[in-house]
Amino acid sequence: MHAVRVDGIEVAYDRVGQGPPLVLAHGAMTDARLWRAQVVDLADEFTVIAWDEPGSGRSSDVSPSFVLADYARCLAAVVEDVGLGPAHVVGVGWGGTVVLELYRHHAGLVRTLVLVDTYAGWKGSLPAAEVRARVEGAERMLDVPDTEFAPTMPGLFAGRPPAEAVRMLSLMSADTRRGSMRTELTIMAEADQRDLLPRIEVPTLLLWGELDSRSPVEQVARPLLEAIPRATLVVLPGVGHLSNVEAPETFNRTVREFCRAPS
């Protein structure tokens, strides 16, 4: 494990392999373990960096005043700590929103973007009624007693998830911190990054599960494709929201080919 301190917050990350840096940002209620299949497979060609965002995994807690730019600043510190120059940066779900904010404030650290089943913030990608429903559902999870706190997220997979994936997600769910989840929820519900999209100048891959019900292709990915000047959309057939877990071989091959291509 590696770590970097940012204003008193310890940010942990894994670093495996050699080659151009490939940074992986996980989604809400998960941590670096979400990327296990990518770390194992892609380390032959890339220096793969999978962080535990502040408030998750092995990293320090965050305060309720933490904002999206703070997550981006911490991720920038990880890229700088690795010291290999601008990175290919991948984000899934909430992690994609963090990655977009990284580009807003630290564009020089980003070589390419890979946005996976993500959003330009919930406010920037979803109807207001859907945002309210998600917030209300999350609040119900947050309001239960500590002994009953076991957060779950519906609609992650298109079909029956692999047994190993269920076990891994259960472990990460058990480690979810109530305060971190509340902070993420508050930020995600209000985030609207549509103003940033036309200003993205690096090659951008939109990598989507065809059957993603949380971030539907037509509702979310297509508007991103239209707004980001150098974006390409690849849709993985028969796959849901966690495409890196549900179809790791196809996912890894697609990321590898994109990151190999000349910028």
Side-chain angles (χ1 to χ4, degrees), residues 50-101:
W51 84 331
D52 287 337
E53 72 172 21
S56 74
R58 300 154 295 180
S59 294
S60 300
D61 284 331
V62 298
S63 70
S65 62
F66 222 64
V67 297
L68 189 54
D70 293 323
Y71 286 98
R73 182 163 48 90
C74 290
L75 185 54
V78 169
V79 178
E80 291 171 339
D81 193 56
V82 171
L84 295 177
H88 303 288
V89 187
V90 184
V92 61
W94 150 258
T97 302
V98 173
V99 162
L100 281 171
E101 201 68 9

Side-chain angles (χ1 to χ4, degrees), residues 29 122 129-144 149-154 178 181-182 185 189 214:
M29 299 190 295
W122 281 355
E130 173 65 16
V131 175
R132 286 194 299 271
R134 293 189 182 197
V135 170
E136 290 168 2
E139 289 289 353
R140 286 193 294 271
M141 282 193 291
L142 288 165
D143 287 341
V144 300
F149 184 60
T152 58
M153 189 182 297
R178 190 189 301 260
M181 182 178 167
R182 190 179 296 279
L185 169 68
R214 292 195 60 80

Side-chain angles (χ1 to χ4, degrees), residues 208-222:
W208 241 258
E210 176 193 21
L211 303 179
D212 183 353
S213 61
R214 292 195 60 80
S215 179
V217 174
E218 294 301 322
Q219 184 181 56
V220 181
R222 295 287 180 192

Side-chain angles (χ1 to χ4, degrees), residues 80-208:
E80 291 171 339
D81 193 56
V82 171
L84 295 177
H88 303 288
V89 187
V90 184
V92 61
W94 150 258
T97 302
V98 173
V99 162
L100 281 171
E101 201 68 9
L102 171 73
Y103 185 84
R104 182 193 297 276
H105 297 286
H106 310 276
L109 297 178
V110 179
R111 181 174 177 181
T112 65
L113 286 170
V114 182
L115 305 176
V116 183
D117 298 280
T118 187
Y119 318 85
W122 281 355
K123 188 175 182 179
S125 290
L126 299 174
E130 173 65 16
V131 175
R132 286 194 299 271
R134 293 189 182 197
V135 170
E136 290 168 2
E139 289 289 353
R140 286 193 294 271
M141 282 193 291
L142 288 165
D143 287 341
V144 300
D146 289 344
T147 54
E148 300 175 19
F149 184 60
T152 58
M153 189 182 297
L156 295 181
F157 299 100
R160 182 184 298 273
E164 175 60 23
V166 173
R167 189 185 74 84
M168 177 180 65
L169 289 170
S170 296
L171 290 172
M172 289 188 288
S173 174
D175 290 339
T176 297
R177 305 173 203 173
R178 190 189 301 260
S180 297
M181 182 178 167
R182 190 179 296 279
T183 300
E184 289 175 347
L185 169 68
T186 301
I187 293 172
M188 194 61 160
E190 291 300 321
D192 185 347
Q193 298 165 311
R194 285 175 290 184
D195 67 302
L196 170 66
L197 304 180
R199 306 203 304 270
I200 295 175
E201 298 180 351
V202 298
T204 301
L205 173 63
L206 307 174
L207 186 50
W208 241 258

